[in-house]
Every structure is written in structure tokens, then in C-alpha cells.
Amino acid sequence: MPSEETIHSLPVMPLRNTVLFPQQVIPLYIGRERSLKLIRELPTGRKTIVVVAQKEGTIEDPDPQDIYEVGTTATVMKIMEMPDGSQSAIVQGGERVKITKYTQDDPYYRAVVDTLNEAFEASLEIDALAANMRSLFKELSKVSDHINQEHLALLSNIQHPARLVDRAISVLQLSNAEKQEILEELNVHRRLEKATVLINREIQRQEIGEKIQTEVQEEISKTQREYFLREQMKAIKRELGEDDQTIELTELEEKVAEAHMPEEVLKVANKELDRLRRIPPSSPEYTVSRTYLDWLVELPWMKETADNVDINRAAGTLDEDHYGLKPMKDRILEFLSVRKLKTEQDPDAPVKGPILCFVGPPGTGKTSMGHSIARAMGREFIRMSLGGVRDEAEIRGHRRTYIGALPGRIIQGLKKVKTRNPVFMLDEVDKLGMDFRGDPSSALLEVLDPEQNNSFSDHYLEVPFDLSKVMFIATANWMDPIPGPLRDRMEVIEFPGYIEEEKIQIAKNYLLPKQIKEQGLDDEGIQFLDTAISEIISHYTREAGVRNLEREIGHICRKVAREKAEGNTKPRRITRKNVDKYLGPKKFYSEIAERMVKPGIAIGLAYTAVGGDILFIEATKMPGKGALKLTGKLGDVMKESAQAAYSYLRANADLFDIDPKFHEKTDIHIHIPAGAIPKDGPSAGITLFTALVSLLSGRLVKTNLGMTGEITLRGAVLPIGGVREKVMAAHRAGLNTVILPAKNERDLVELPDNVKRKMNFQFVEEISQVFDLALETLEETAKTTKRSAKKKKVSSQEVAQA
């Protein structure tokens, strides 16, 4: 017999994706075995069940823990048999209940339930919340398709706030969890507040959805319209016997025919055209092939500019842009003269372009000379900076198999200027790098070889291109880093540093007009005297070129421009005396007279990447056992020169009136300021020897004397390089005598005449000759020392009086 607890329990029907509210009438589709048994066993008179929502609608056979505890009693109003054996029932919600205990789980669930009483107390606030809900629901009906007038009419007839909330939430498209939360809320006030939030959110969701739908619909309509138009266009073109691809290929065929390609290149282009016809336009290969053909048809295979063969006019253009630099200008005019004569003899005769390499310190006009040459010849100009280039593909391009492949910068430059005979400047060729991506300098070997570059092959094009018409000009500050094979292909033209007279002329004719204009001044507002320019050159710059000179002139012009902008429009006259007013204290001054006051100091001449310079070589001695110490960040070659000078002096001490046993009780330290700058090379040999002889003999080195030359252990003085730069550095430093190896006498032809007139040159073949030329006698040394001491005493007295 059933127990009393079983008699008072009710059947429980779990629902998937549905929450039943009190007073709500809904149809139920019953297909699960448990639910079918429950419906079939309902007594005839008493058809009350408990309807509870499942937590997860995907569970086919839920356990009690898969079912919410709060549900609704329901009266089964009608049961209908379905053709497939399932059943459908119409149920009406009764009251909220909570399952307290399951009493049966087979063949269906039965449970004891408690009725849940609502907490309701009428108030103005609840009435206001209910009225607001009706208003919100009405607003929702305007933007939601599933809320209709019937729903609004139904809600308008419900007066009780609790029933109003239940009915409103029951018709909204909310999740089971949200509806269950409203079902479980017994406080009517809080239930109204939660429902208001949900309805507001639903209104916003519907509005946003409607906006998105409108935008999507408009976009779809636009896309469909464009699609239809394109399809119509295709149909029209098909009727006319042509389409986009056909038109594109026809245009390419015309361009190929007009490009005047060499026969070998034309075959490749036609083959690529045939291949393009067989590739669908949507294929990635189509774009690659089309881009390749675009490069082929746009290159200047036969286009070139006519050279200016008026030699006098070309010479005038070069002189107009640059002061001096006569060897460079002569070389360009020679090339133009040869071209003119060969063209007159045979217009079709090939004239190979020269491969020039301008080598010199920064600021000497190498790059600007390239612009000037192009202007003088009437050619286009391309500049390619090679500083820091480490990838061979920069020169030769990438293979077409790579994504985003392009030709090298040589071919790119020619395409840009649309001519095959430009002036092509390869700037900073000495600063090329090399790493795992290849050696760009090796790639340049073919480019810069007149015998090979008529068939230059770029990796991307894979067809030869004639570069023999291009006039290549390379620039470098220093020849040593350039590989030998590459250097051998170029005609090197040295760009020496400028002397003071040349700098003054450059400043007057080029730098001053440029800076006066750039700073917003005019010739009437500012005037530079030659003495002022000389003062800037001597005491505010120390360079082979003119870049810093231009900066300092610009600095003065900006100061004057500021004064003028502040209302002081009086013309300015820049003289030697007022230069420091604009540029401040002098940056450079001659320290030769101050340093050459003790034995053991000699002045050497050095050649650097930025021009020539002077070196002070200092030697001192101390008690010891013959050690030789060398400092000043010297390279191995310079250290070996010092050892050679020291050994020669020890072996021939008698010749120079020096104690032959000096090394037994004396250590010698040689130092070359500035200590942070690396120094190397053999040309300081005679300077190191002179400093040692001066130190050990006690005789001073002559004041305004510089020297350079390599020495051997047998006492010979060997020739050195960079004579012009070294002599120019001596001239800038105020030296008036230079000792050079005898075999370097022929190099003096490179010097400007006014420098040769001002300088005294002494040529030596043996070290012994240097001894007599470089050192003062002991009597002269004593007088010099006495004058120096007297000068120091007067100077210290003046300081004391001050």
C-alpha cells in the first residue's frame, strides 16, 4: 500500500527550455518516456502536477540535482494524442511551490512541495513601478516583432502587480535562468525592479539589432546592386567579344610593342604574356606575372637623354656650381670631348661611361659634384646611399619566387628616371657592409665593370639590361675599406681638403649667399669681411671641407636675423673683431709655440678619413734599465716604427752625440696625444726618431716644423702616401717647414701654387739628414729656453698684479 507521504505528493514534470509562471496557459509537447507515463497515469478527476524547469535543456533524463527547486503547480486542462505516439497537453499555471522532498523516481518523479507565499504590500512606489512597466512594454512592442497588440491588451487587463510581472516576463524572449530568477523572487517590489531592468535591456538590444540589421541590409543592397551591375557589364563585354582580362592583356601587348625591348627580352615578355592568358585572374600567380610584365615594359630599354656636347657651356656650369676642383672638372670635360668627337665620326659608335670614384674628406663637395656633372651633361641624376647596406638583394634584387620580390635599387632608379643614361651616384661606397645576406660589394663588381655591365642581370628580371650607358660615380672618404677588385674597376679622383684662400672664395661665392637667403636676410642687412671669414676658418673650424664653416656662417646669420626680428634693423658688418660676439670664445688656437719648449717633442703629419692632421709626439725619460713604453692607443705598425727608431738610435748613438750606454740606466716613454683616438701607420717613423734624439741630446725641435716619413733599421727614409693632405694640414696649423722623403718630391705638383710659395720643403733620404734639419743647436736651445722662462715669469707677474 502507498504511504501517506506518497499520497500527498504530486507528480513532477521537468521542462526543457520553458519556465511556467502562475496563471499562464501553455501547450506542452510530451515525448520523453517518464513524462508520457506521468500523463497516462494521471487520475481522471485530479489532474494537478508540478512543472519545474531543467537547469540544462540538453539533459535527456535529468536527475533531481539537474532540476530547479522552485516550480509551479499546473492543471492539465486537455491531453491530445499525436500521430507519432507522443502526446500534447494544455496546462495552466497555479501557484509557486518549492520541492522539499522527492518520494518517487520511477517510472516518473513525485515530490512533496510547499506553497510559496508572495510578500506584497500595496504602495505608491509599487504602483509607479507597475505603470512604468506597462509603458516600457508598450515601447518594446514598437521595436520587437514578437510583441503584438494582443499581448498589450492582455497586460492592460491585469491589475495586480505580481500577476503583471509574471505575464510580462513570460512573453519575453529571455533565458531560462533569467525567467527562473523572476519566478523565485517572492518579494513583489524586487520582482518589479528586476523585471524593469530586463525589459529595458531587451529594448536596447532590439534597437541595436534593428540598427545593425538596417545597416547590413543597406550594405547587402549596395553589394547586390554592384554585383548585378558587374554581371551586366560582363555580359555586355561578352556580347562585344571582350572582358577585363582581355582588355588588360591587350593593353600589355601594346606596351610590350612600344617598349622597344631587345630581342632576347621581347621573347621573355611574350612568353610571360602567353602564360598570363592561361592563368585565372583570381590566382595569386596572375598578380606576380602581371607585376613582372609591368616592370619589363616600364624600363627604359632604349630611351636616353641627349648629352650636352657644348664643352664651353658644360665648363661654365661646373664652375658655376663649384670653386676649384680643377682635376675633377677636367676629367668630365675630357669625357664630353671624347663623346662629341666619336659622335661626330660615327653616331652609332658606343661610348662607354667612365666609372669614377671621388675620394676625399667629408664636406669637400663630392656628392654635390655629382649633381653638377649631371646638370653640365644634361642628364638625369640618381643618388643611391650605400652606407650600412648589407644585403646583396639591394643591388641585384630578389628572386621572383619570394613574396613581395622587387628588382634591386639599380633597376629601380633607372625606372624612376625613365632613361638608360643617367648620372648614377653610389654614395659612401667605403661603408658597405657584409653579413649572412651576402656581400653587396661583390654584387657591384658587375655593375662597375665597363666590360661586363652591358649585360647586367638582376635576380628579379632574369634578363640582361645594358648599364654601359650609365655614368657611375662612387664616393668614399677612405679607400682602404673598399675591396681590391672593386677598387680596380674605378678611376680614383682625389678630393683634397681646401686651403684657407679657397675656403674664403667658397664662402663668399656659395655659402654666404645661400645662408643669407635661408635665414631671411639680404645683402644689405649683413656684410661679411674677408678678415671675418678668415677668423672663422682659423679659430672656429678645423676641417678639410667646408661643412662646419657653413654652419658657423649660418649661426651668425641666425643671430642677426633675431636682432632684426626684434626691431633692430641696422645693417650688420661682420669683422674679425666682432666674430666672437656671435660665435663666443675661440674653439681652436695654435698650441705649437706653447708645446715646443722642451726637448723630446716633435710634430708629425697624419692622414685620416676626414683629411690631414698634425700629431704631437712626446718623449720623456726616467731612471731604469732600457725599457721602451708606448702609449696613445697606437696600432701595431706605429709601435713597430717606434721600436725601429729606438733600435737605430741605440745602434748609432755616437753619430748623434748621445751616450751609447744610455739604455743601461734610462727608461723611455713615448706618448702621442690625443690618447682616445686610435693611431697607426708607418709614416710617423722619422717623427718618432726626432723626438727620441731631441730627448736624449737635449736639443729642441724647431718650432714651426712638421715631418713625415717611414724609416728602416739601416737609416733610410721611405716614401709615404697622402702628401697633399698632410701638407695642407701643416699649412692650416701654421707650420712653414715640412720634411718629406725625397721620393715624395714629385707629389708636390698636386699642391696649390700659393701653398707651395708659403711653405719650405726639405727632402731627405737618410735619417742623419733629419737630425741636422729638425733640431736646434745647443746654443739655440739655450736661448729658446731662456726666452721661454722669461716669458713665463712676465706672464706670472701680470697674473699676480691682476
Side-chain angles (χ1 to χ4, degrees), residues 148-436:
N148 51 39
Q149 291 299 321
E150 186 179 341
H151 292 126
L152 290 175
L154 186 63
L155 285 182
S156 65
N157 293 328
I158 300 174
Q159 300 301 321
H160 196 285
R163 303 289 75 77
L164 178 67
V165 176
D166 291 346
R167 183 53 58 89
I169 294 300
S170 68
V171 298
L172 293 183
Q173 292 181 338
L174 301 174
S175 66
N176 269 15
E178 291 171 329
K179 289 186 175 182
Q180 183 69 27
E181 185 180 358
I182 297 296
L183 180 68
E184 294 178 0
E185 181 58 65
L186 300 180
N187 188 299
V188 177
H189 186 279
R190 285 199 295 271
R191 195 187 304 170
L192 280 165
E193 288 178 339
K194 290 181 179 180
T196 301
V197 171
L198 292 173
I199 296 173
N200 264 314
R201 191 194 67 187
E202 187 67 11
I203 290 171
Q204 293 175 2
R205 188 178 68 83
Q206 290 292 340
E207 287 176 345
I208 293 171
E210 185 176 355
K211 181 181 177 184
I212 293 172
Q213 185 66 24
T214 302
E215 291 175 352
V216 170
Q217 191 64 37
E218 289 175 356
E219 189 63 33
I220 290 173
S221 299
K222 180 182 176 184
T223 305
Q224 287 176 340
R225 181 172 174 272
E226 290 175 354
Y227 172 75
F228 289 140
L229 288 172
R230 280 195 297 269
E231 289 301 312
Q232 288 174 356
M233 183 68 73
K234 287 180 182 178
I236 293 169
K237 288 179 178 177
R238 278 195 297 271
E239 288 296 321
L240 295 173
E242 55 183 35
D243 55 19
D244 287 343
Q245 187 178 9
T246 305
I247 294 172
E248 192 173 46
L249 290 172
T250 304
E251 290 176 353
L252 275 174
E253 286 178 356
E254 293 173 357
K255 289 180 179 179
V256 169
E258 294 170 359
H260 303 294
M261 300 176 183
E263 185 177 349
E264 181 182 352
V265 181
L266 186 61
K267 288 180 181 178
V268 174
N270 288 328
K271 183 178 179 181
E272 197 68 26
L273 267 173
D274 292 338
R275 179 170 174 266
L276 199 61
R277 289 189 182 95
R278 298 190 295 270
I279 301 175
S282 58
S283 170
E285 282 295 314
Y286 185 89
T287 305
V288 173
S289 188
R290 171 63 201 267
T291 305
Y292 176 68
L293 278 170
D294 284 340
W295 274 99
L296 286 183
V297 299
E298 291 178 17
L299 285 176
W301 298 99
M302 293 296 172
K303 297 177 184 176
E304 58 182 69
T305 54
D307 282 341
N308 171 26
V309 292
D310 186 339
I311 306 302
N312 294 327
R313 182 183 163 202
T317 302
L318 293 174
D319 290 334
E320 182 182 336
D321 293 343
H322 291 82
Y323 178 83
L325 303 178
K326 190 173 184 300
M328 284 63 76
K329 295 175 182 177
D330 289 343
R331 180 63 186 87
I332 303 307
L333 296 176
E334 289 167 8
F335 169 74
L336 288 176
S337 301
V338 171
R339 186 171 185 84
K340 179 180 179 181
L341 295 176
K342 291 198 73 172
T343 304
E344 290 174 353
Q345 294 171 3
D346 182 3
D348 298 326
V351 181
K352 294 178 180 178
I355 312 295
L356 304 179
C357 182
F358 296 162
V359 179
T364 51
K366 300 184 297 296
T367 304
S368 60
M369 177 59 80
H371 285 276
S372 184
I373 290 170
R375 196 162 76 88
M377 297 177 68
R379 293 190 179 193
E380 296 292 334
F381 179 78
I382 312 170
R383 176 183 168 274
M384 174 182 172
S385 177
L386 297 177
V389 171
R390 296 175 175 273
D391 191 352
E392 180 198 357
E394 292 280 341
I395 310 298
R396 284 192 170 278
H398 299 85
R399 302 280 181 190
R400 273 186 291 156
T401 51
Y402 294 107
I403 295 173
L406 282 174
R409 288 165 66 183
I410 303 288
I411 296 297
Q412 289 183 39
L414 294 175
K415 177 193 172 187
K416 184 178 179 182
V417 297
K418 300 185 184 335
T419 175
R420 65 171 182 163
N421 67 333
V423 174
F424 204 123
M425 175 155 280
L426 302 170
D427 224 356
E428 311 292 354
V429 72
D430 57 328
K431 295 173 181 62
L432 276 170
M434 180 178 67
D435 62 10
F436 65 92

Side-chain angles (χ1 to χ4, degrees), residues 387-590:
V389 171
R390 296 175 175 273
D391 191 352
E392 180 198 357
E394 292 280 341
I395 310 298
R396 284 192 170 278
H398 299 85
R399 302 280 181 190
R400 273 186 291 156
T401 51
Y402 294 107
I403 295 173
L406 282 174
R409 288 165 66 183
I410 303 288
I411 296 297
Q412 289 183 39
L414 294 175
K415 177 193 172 187
K416 184 178 179 182
V417 297
K418 300 185 184 335
T419 175
R420 65 171 182 163
N421 67 333
V423 174
F424 204 123
M425 175 155 280
L426 302 170
D427 224 356
E428 311 292 354
V429 72
D430 57 328
K431 295 173 181 62
L432 276 170
M434 180 178 67
D435 62 10
F436 65 92
R437 290 167 290 187
D439 182 4
S441 62
S442 297
L444 282 175
L445 293 178
E446 183 184 4
V447 175
L448 300 182
D449 191 340
E451 301 300 326
Q452 299 179 33
N453 64 9
N454 60 349
S455 57
F456 172 70
S457 178
D458 186 275
H459 286 157
Y460 181 83
L461 296 182
E462 294 181 333
V463 291
F465 190 94
D466 186 2
L467 296 179
S468 62
K469 302 280 186 180
V470 179
M471 182 175 184
F472 285 103
I473 300 175
T475 71
N477 297 130
W478 190 252
M479 285 299 293
D480 288 357
I482 303 175
L486 184 59
R487 193 185 317 159
D488 185 58
R489 283 162 166 76
M490 299 185 292
E491 179 181 336
V492 177
I493 297 179
E494 299 279 351
F495 269 62
Y498 296 110
I499 61 174
E500 183 174 328
E501 289 78 4
E502 290 175 329
K503 288 184 179 182
I504 291 174
Q505 293 301 319
I506 292 171
K508 289 169 63 177
N509 298 328
Y510 303 97
L511 306 184
L512 280 173
K514 177 183 175 184
Q515 286 300 319
I516 289 173
K517 182 178 179 181
E518 285 187 1
Q519 311 309 331
L521 301 173
D522 52 43
D523 294 337
E524 296 178 0
I526 186 170
Q527 180 187 4
F528 281 80
L529 298 185
D530 288 1
T531 54
I533 299 173
S534 177
E535 179 74 6
I536 298 171
I537 294 169
S538 302
H539 298 293
Y540 293 90
T541 65
R542 184 164 289 178
E543 57 178 345
V546 292
R547 280 189 185 149
N548 286 323
L549 175 58
E550 183 174 6
R551 290 191 188 102
E552 299 298 344
I553 290 172
H555 192 180
I556 293 176
C557 290
R558 286 192 296 275
K559 295 269 190 184
V560 173
R562 178 181 173 182
E563 292 175 357
K564 188 174 180 180
E566 291 173 348
N568 191 346
T569 57
K570 182 181 178 182
R572 292 291 182 272
R573 195 163 182 261
I574 310 302
T575 65
R576 180 186 293 273
K577 293 183 179 179
N578 65 4
V579 165
D580 59 351
K581 172 187 173 183
Y582 295 98
L583 298 182
K586 296 177 181 178
K587 297 178 181 178
F588 303 103
Y589 54 90
S590 177

